[in-house]
Amino acid sequence: TSAVTTALDAGVLSIVLNRPEKKNALTHAMYAAMADALEWAEQEAAIRVSLITGTGDAFTSGNDLGDFMSAPPQDAAATAVFRGVGA
């Protein structure tokens, strides 16, 4: 998702929440993108540090309630929200 971008520079993986119009409110897709990035960081020896930041004037306002109400998590084991990001 374009709402989460990643960049690797000198061993630092930057994970950027890029949804400033919604104060970087987290969607299911954003949780999945962050979890994927963190899993990559765990497996990649070149990544020494993971840095999570947000664009605009807020890191994150929390979960996007509209997104979660339209598709509430059903199975904790299969849901990105519970894959080590936010759990």
Side-chain angles (χ1 to χ4, degrees), residues 18-39:
N18 188 26
R19 200 171 171 227
E21 71 282 359
K22 294 286 189 175
K23 302 267 187 208
N24 298 318
L26 299 167
T27 63
H28 289 287
M30 291 171 72
Y31 274 109
M34 287 191 300
D36 290 345
L38 291 172
E39 287 172 359

Side-chain angles (χ1 to χ4, degrees), residues 1-15:
T1 176
S2 63
V4 175
T5 61
T6 59
L8 179 58
D9 183 37
V12 177
L13 175 63
S14 296
I15 303 169

Side-chain angles (χ1 to χ4, degrees), residues 5-78:
T5 61
T6 59
L8 179 58
D9 183 37
V12 177
L13 175 63
S14 296
I15 303 169
V16 181
L17 306 177
N18 188 26
R19 200 171 171 227
E21 71 282 359
K22 294 286 189 175
K23 302 267 187 208
N24 298 318
L26 299 167
T27 63
H28 289 287
M30 291 171 72
Y31 274 109
M34 287 191 300
D36 290 345
L38 291 172
E39 287 172 359
W40 175 47
E42 185 176 10
Q43 297 174 12
E44 178 58 53
I47 300 172
R48 306 300 297 161
V49 175
S50 296
L51 173 68
I52 303 174
T53 63
T55 58
D57 63 353
F59 168 62
T60 180
S61 59
N63 291 337
D64 181 322
L65 296 181
D67 183 65
F68 279 79
M69 294 298 288
S70 68
Q74 300 295 317
D75 179 11

